[in-house]
Amino acid sequence: MIHTTVTIIQIIAVILLFLCILVLALKPANSFSNVMLLAFMAGFIQNVGYLLELLSYDVTTSMNAIRVEYTGGAFIISMFTWFIFKYCRHELPKPFLVVFILEGFLVLLGVWSFGYNDMFYTKAKFIKDAAIPYVQLGHGWFYYVFAVLTISELVTNIIMCLLSYIKTKETYMRRNYAILFVVVVMPLLGYMVSIMGNIPGYDLTPLSVALSIIVFTLAILRNHVFDVAKYASETIFNNLDSPVIILNRGNGFEGANLRAKRLFPDLFEFKTGEYIHDEKILELFEEDMAEIKIDDEVYEVSISPIYSGDDLIGKSVILFDITERKRQLEKTKELMDKADQANVAKSAFLTNVSHEIRTPINVIMGMSEVLFRDFRRQETDEYVANIRTAASTLLSLINDILDFSKIDTGKLSIIDEEYDAKKMYTELITVYKFRCEKKGVQFIADIPEDLPKYLIGDAVRVKQIHNNLLSNAIKYTENGQIKLKVSYKKRTDYEIDLIVSVEDTGIGIRREDQNKIFTVFSRVDLKKTNTIEGTGLGLNISKELVSMMKGAVNFKSEYGKGSMFSFVIPQKVSASKNDLFGTINTDMGIEVFNTNYTAKDAKVLVVDDSKTNLIVAKELLKKTMVDITTALSGEECLKLCEENEYDIIFLDHRMPGMDGLETFEKLKAGPNKCQNTPVIMLTANAIGDARDFYLNMDFTDFLSKPITSKELIEMVKKYLPDEKVLYEPCIDPSI
Ligand code: ADP
């Protein structure tokens, strides 16, 4: 009866173990489950062996069953140990592993070679007439070694589980260690009972192992002991560097990771579901809380609702430490402020330098123009012309440097307006024909007659690009010819591609230098060119300007033979004026502009703190015969305006005491006799969008120094009342 019962129990155990193996094998594998699967198989073999033992009827069948039993039993506890170490996050020391394997194989050797040696069993006798028939065995020395080792391993496993249980703070892992504890205690008890021989004929070890495997399988199914994702998420949650707190819908505490608990030590005390009173923690869950400062650290607060299906069941708050980011941002801001300040200082410096240089250039150019016009003497004419050329070279240098700085700081913009292309080319051809003739170089201009006369683009900049290429061609050509060729391609009815090329028979550019010439400040072939004036900025500026106009620059050059620079820029065609270019008539040497009108009754006031500038203005306007009054300061200007009426006022910007802007404001505010008089800003300040700046301040117009007689005379005519302008030349021989 007892025999039958234990046999049935053993059969059930074997079947259940088989199912356990299936359950484990069907779960997605990981490093834990692989070790455990081996242990399950060992347990299964052990239990099958024991079932055979229960069914055996003599010594031979019994001993064969025992051999099968030990094929699994010799390894099962070692495998348990290996698994427990792994699960408790410890690496099993290698020597132990060797001992375990050796131990298992020696047991197998002992059991399987029974009859030939008495290492494990010394004798075997089958007891038939017991309640459970069994084989009585005499134990050899290795049997005891194996017993000691097995008990030590089981005890170590128990200690390991206990320690891990105590050490870990993760609730999920704690429960798993508790399950493992039960799993390792069972075989220990079973084994102890067996070796003490308390139940004659019955070995409890296989069944205790089977039970432990079954309990463990249930834990896998119910508590997801091997669920790596869950395990990982819990580990990640706890090790996360950002504090996380979870509350349920009623502000009850649901959980917090270690980082959060360290930040708010009160959290260590809270039990799940307990209502949180801590104001500081509750404050974190307020909707408008974006940032919080705790001690010296700044955290970004991120609240997320937690849903189960469609039901809101709680909320979590994550704090991101942004202290370093904030610090970096502040540092960057500080650096940017410094850079901005440096940039402002640089701009101010450039404005000053440009202003200071333009002022004397204004005098040099103005005075030499007056000399050339009014005091012509054969002996000095050439000197005066040289002074003018030197001054204009200096001026173009200053302009280049200013342009470069504007491009560098992104302040240069292309301002499109309608311009007269014929007028521009007439001026260009006049100047360059004159300069070529002086140098003994032939100048050829080829412009199609059907080119639209009025184009829309940035006339100043378009002219500047032409000037740069043409003046380079002259600079680097000693004889032969320079050819300006213009053509165009229609894009639409109102847009063309203006195609310009400047070809020379000059020194050319060496192949190895060709990729350098558009680089800032680069001048090539210095042996030949260092006597020629230049900064190495012109081509770079031209290329930038062309690309700002969405065009392209090209060039080809042969060293010793000449170069050809070309560019293409899209330009709009005036919709209102459809005149064509026609032919060009260029007069030579109109270096000095002669006025074609006089205005004896006109009164013009020029305000400038520099006496020489006033003389220049006066001299340049002399032939118009306008009545010119000068003032050396803003204060003087206002005083004059209280008593007199003027047709035009030219006002300098930078003056000591009251500057041009303040004077202008006071003038417009009145009361005086010139509140409605056109006021033209006449300044050496040319940086940035000076023109826009002054026009936005409500100045009537703007002229930049150095001024030419042509500009000044035309500007006066533009703002004088028509009735005061007489189209008759000045006949006073003294003027
Ligand atoms: P630079 O003020 O020196 O003329 P650019 O930027 O206009 O500066 O030109 C850069 C360099 O390219 C010049 O120094 C010169 O060596 C070379 N270069 C430019 N145009 C010509 C040309 N037409 N013929 C020969 N060399 C040229």
Side-chain angles (χ1 to χ4, degrees):
M1 178 67 189
I2 297 175
H3 188 201
T4 315
T5 313
V6 291
T7 308
I8 290 169
I9 291 173
Q10 193 57 35
I11 291 171
I12 295 169
V14 167
I15 294 169
L16 287 177
L17 279 179
F18 183 70
L19 291 175
C20 289
I21 290 174
L22 275 185
V23 167
L24 194 59
L26 290 176
K27 279 205 103 51
N30 58 49
S31 59
F32 298 139
S33 60
N34 288 341
V35 178
M36 208 52 201
L37 191 63
L38 283 177
F40 276 26
M41 283 176 175
F44 175 72
I45 295 168
Q46 183 189 34
N47 275 275
V48 170
Y50 191 61
L51 178 63
L52 293 175
E53 195 184 333
L54 286 175
L55 297 174
S56 54
Y57 42 85
D58 58 13
V59 165
T60 318
T61 47
S62 259
M63 282 319 292
N64 284 340
I66 286 173
R67 287 184 178 113
V68 173
E69 190 187 334
Y70 269 98
T71 306
F75 298 101
I76 175 92
I77 301 302
S78 299
M79 278 170 187
F80 260 56
T81 310
W82 187 13
F83 171 79
I84 301 279
F85 264 75
K86 232 173 159 42
Y87 204 76
C88 296
R89 297 174 212 173
H90 287 285
E91 227 12 82
L92 186 69
K94 281 242 163 63
F96 278 78
L97 209 63
V98 175
V99 169
F100 288 165
I101 294 170
L102 213 68
E103 172 202 359
F105 281 105
L106 284 174
V107 170
L108 280 190
L109 183 76
V111 176
W112 281 83
S113 62
F114 170 67
Y116 299 97
N117 71 65
D118 49 12
M119 179 179 147
F120 205 80
Y121 293 129
T122 48
K123 58 178 182 168
K125 185 178 169 209
F126 195 74
I127 312 291
K128 238 188 195 151
D129 44 9
I132 304 167
Y134 71 104
V135 63
Q136 202 178 45
L137 297 159
H139 297 130
W141 65 273
F142 196 67
Y143 176 87
Y144 296 105
V145 172
F146 179 61
V148 170
L149 280 174
T150 304
I151 292 169
S152 324
E153 281 173 46
L154 286 168
V155 172
T156 312
N157 291 347
I158 290 170
I159 294 171
M160 200 78 145
C161 289
L162 280 176
L163 285 180
S164 299
Y165 178 86
I166 294 165
K167 262 206 253 158
T168 189
K169 300 228 157 19
E170 302 155 29
T171 39
Y172 165 76
M173 284 308 286
R174 274 188 153 210
R175 197 188 46 209
N176 288 351
Y177 291 130
I179 293 167
L180 276 187
F181 176 77
V182 176
V183 167
V184 286
V185 160
M186 274 194 288
L188 179 68
L189 293 178
Y191 191 62
M192 298 288 276
V193 171
S194 291
I195 54 172
M196 283 173 185
N198 291 356
I199 314 169
Y202 188 64
D203 182 359
L204 199 57
T205 316
L207 192 65
S208 65
V209 168
L211 278 177
S212 121
I213 289 176
I214 292 163
V215 168
F216 197 75
T217 309
L218 290 176
I220 292 171
L221 289 176
R222 283 205 50 215
N223 299 325
H224 309 283
V225 180
F226 282 135
D227 203 332
V228 177
K230 197 163 185 290
Y231 168 74
S233 60
E234 188 133 338
T235 312
I236 291 167
F237 173 70
N238 259 319
N239 295 339
L240 201 68
D241 207 30
S242 302
V244 186
I245 305 169
I246 302 166
L247 298 189
N248 61 27
R249 255 172 60 180
N251 280 351
F253 176 67
E254 280 300 324
N257 67 356
L258 271 180
R259 194 67 181 78
K261 287 179 182 166
R262 280 196 204 116
L263 199 64
F264 303 100
D266 282 0
L267 289 174
F268 278 117
E269 311 302 327
F270 282 119
K271 294 197 176 60
T272 310
E274 198 176 329
Y275 179 73
I276 293 201
H277 297 283
D278 192 320
E279 284 297 320
K280 230 176 160 157
I281 299 175
L282 286 177
E283 200 181 69
L284 296 175
F285 286 88
E286 280 167 17
E287 287 294 306
D288 53 350
M289 178 65 74
E291 267 179 35
I292 189 166
K293 197 166 180 213
I294 303 170
D295 301 329
D296 280 341
E297 318 284 288
V298 187
Y299 295 90
E300 188 184 290
V301 182
S302 162
I303 306 170
S304 320
I306 303 169
Y307 286 97
S308 166
D310 288 338
D311 299 334
L312 178 75
I313 53 165
K315 53 196 166 181
S316 70
V317 72
I318 306 180
L319 304 180
F320 296 104
D321 190 342
I322 52 167
T323 321
E324 194 49 33
R325 201 166 81 199
K326 281 227 136 179
R327 231 172 264 154
Q328 292 290 354
L329 260 171
E330 264 161 36
K331 232 180 185 172
T332 314
K333 209 176 151 277
E334 224 170 79
L335 287 175
M336 273 169 68
D337 284 350
K338 270 191 191 156
D340 277 352
Q341 279 167 12
N343 225 356
V344 169
K346 187 178 118 186
S347 292
F349 172 76
L350 274 169
T351 316
N352 279 335
V353 169
S354 130
H355 186 272
E356 294 316 312
I357 296 177
R358 274 165 184 275
T359 308
I361 296 179
N362 185 44
V363 177
I364 300 169
M365 287 181 83
M367 292 291 194
S368 53
E369 192 175 330
V370 173
L371 279 178
F372 203 67
R373 190 183 63 194
D374 301 341
F375 304 95
R376 294 193 74 148
R377 276 172 58 193
Q378 225 181 345
E379 315 88 85
T380 54
D381 267 6
E382 199 186 331
Y383 301 150
V384 175
N386 286 344
I387 293 173
R388 289 209 66 200
T389 315
S392 63
T393 308
L394 200 57
L395 182 64
S396 68
L397 196 117
I398 283 290
N399 285 342
D400 274 0
I401 292 176
L402 275 181
D403 278 350
F404 168 68
S405 127
K406 278 190 235 166
I407 290 172
D408 201 36
T409 50
K411 282 194 182 142
L412 194 139
S413 44
I414 298 295
I415 304 158
D416 286 347
E417 54 191 359
E418 189 177 285
Y419 69 96
D420 183 339
K422 184 163 181 173
K423 193 171 161 220
M424 178 185 84
Y425 280 113
T426 311
E427 283 168 3
L428 283 170
I429 293 168
T430 309
V431 170
Y432 287 98
K433 211 168 166 187
F434 177 72
R435 284 179 59 184
C436 276
E437 226 148 78
K438 268 184 27 189
K439 218 177 167 183
V441 176
Q442 192 191 0
F443 184 83
I444 302 166
D446 176 4
I447 302 174
E449 288 183 18
D450 62 349
L451 179 76
K453 185 168 179 242
Y454 295 99
L455 296 176
I456 296 165
D458 190 329
V460 176
R461 298 301 178 184
V462 172
K463 195 170 176 188
Q464 185 179 349
I465 303 163
H466 281 86
N467 266 321
N468 176 251
L469 299 188
L470 285 165
S471 63
N472 273 356
I474 293 189
K475 275 197 295 189
Y476 301 107
T477 306
E478 286 312 315
N479 41 51
Q481 65 173 42
I482 288 167
K483 185 175 178 186
L484 167 70
K485 185 172 167 26
V486 181
S487 61
Y488 74 97
K489 221 185 205 168
K490 233 176 164 182
R491 279 187 164 204
T492 63
D493 276 354
Y494 294 107
E495 201 175 4
I496 58 161
D497 272 337
L498 188 68
I499 306 162
V500 181
S501 69
V502 177
E503 196 174 351
D504 65 55
T505 52
I507 59 172
I509 303 159
R510 279 193 294 230
R511 190 168 282 273
E512 63 267 31
D513 290 334
Q514 292 190 356
N515 57 351
K516 295 183 203 152
I517 55 168
F518 287 100
T519 315
V520 190
F521 298 118
S522 80
R523 308 201 65 212
V524 298
D525 201 6
L526 285 175
K527 240 188 211 162
K528 278 194 182 169
T529 62
N530 67 356
T531 51
I532 303 169
E533 281 158 359
T535 51
L537 281 174
L539 282 181
N540 176 274
I541 293 171
S542 297
K543 192 175 173 192
E544 289 291 337
L545 290 175
V546 169
S547 78
M548 283 173 87
M549 293 174 192
K550 304 201 166 42
V553 179
N554 215 332
F555 83 102
K556 51 183 182 202
S557 184
E558 204 175 320
Y559 192 52
K561 286 205 168 145
S563 319
M564 187 176 91
F565 285 81
S566 59
F567 66 92
V568 183
I569 43 170
Q571 295 284 279
K572 295 211 171 63
V573 178
S574 168
S576 53
K577 301 178 192 159
N578 48 14
D579 309 39
L580 294 182
F581 199 87
T583 50
I584 276 192
N585 235 337
T586 52
D587 294 326
M588 292 303 300
I590 47 157
E591 288 259 275
V592 175
F593 180 80
N594 272 314
T595 174
N596 59 353
Y597 73 92
T598 51
K600 277 191 298 235
D601 300 332
K603 287 184 76 185
V604 171
L605 172 63
V606 186
V607 188
D608 199 311
D609 61 311
S610 150
K611 267 188 192 155
T612 33
N613 274 343
L614 291 175
I615 297 171
V616 169
K618 245 178 146 170
E619 285 294 330
L620 293 180
L621 285 175
K622 200 156 72 178
K623 295 228 163 174
T624 60
M625 297 176 75
V626 289
D627 178 7
I628 298 171
T629 311
T630 56
L632 276 163
S633 66
E635 289 87 349
E636 201 183 331
C637 160
L638 291 178
K639 219 167 178 189
L640 284 167
C641 291
E642 274 169 25
E643 291 153 15
N644 309 294
E645 275 181 35
Y646 295 100
D647 294 304
I648 302 171
I649 298 171
F650 285 99
L651 189 57
D652 182 26
H653 180 167
R654 292 188 177 206
M655 290 184 290
M658 195 187 291
D659 72 2
L661 300 183
E662 200 182 336
T663 312
F664 179 67
E665 240 172 65
K666 294 214 162 117
L667 192 69
K668 288 288 157 190
N672 57 56
K673 294 185 171 169
C674 301
Q675 263 170 288
N676 297 319
T677 306
V679 181
I680 296 159
M681 173 47 74
L682 181 65
T683 175
N685 181 11
I687 191 131
D689 298 323
R691 189 188 162 78
D692 283 358
F693 173 77
Y694 293 115
L695 295 188
N696 281 339
M697 301 280 298
D698 274 348
F699 279 88
T700 315
D701 214 324
F702 163 86
L703 255 189
S704 86
K705 290 178 202 168
I707 35 165
T708 62
S709 53
K710 176 175 182 262
E711 283 168 343
L712 195 58
I713 289 168
E714 280 183 351
M715 187 70 84
V716 168
K717 193 175 95 187
K718 188 168 169 192
Y719 293 105
L720 277 185
D722 284 347
E723 65 277 11
K724 292 196 178 176
V725 180
L726 303 171
Y727 288 95
E728 52 194 34
C730 167
I731 40 160
D732 186 344
S734 66
I735 297 175

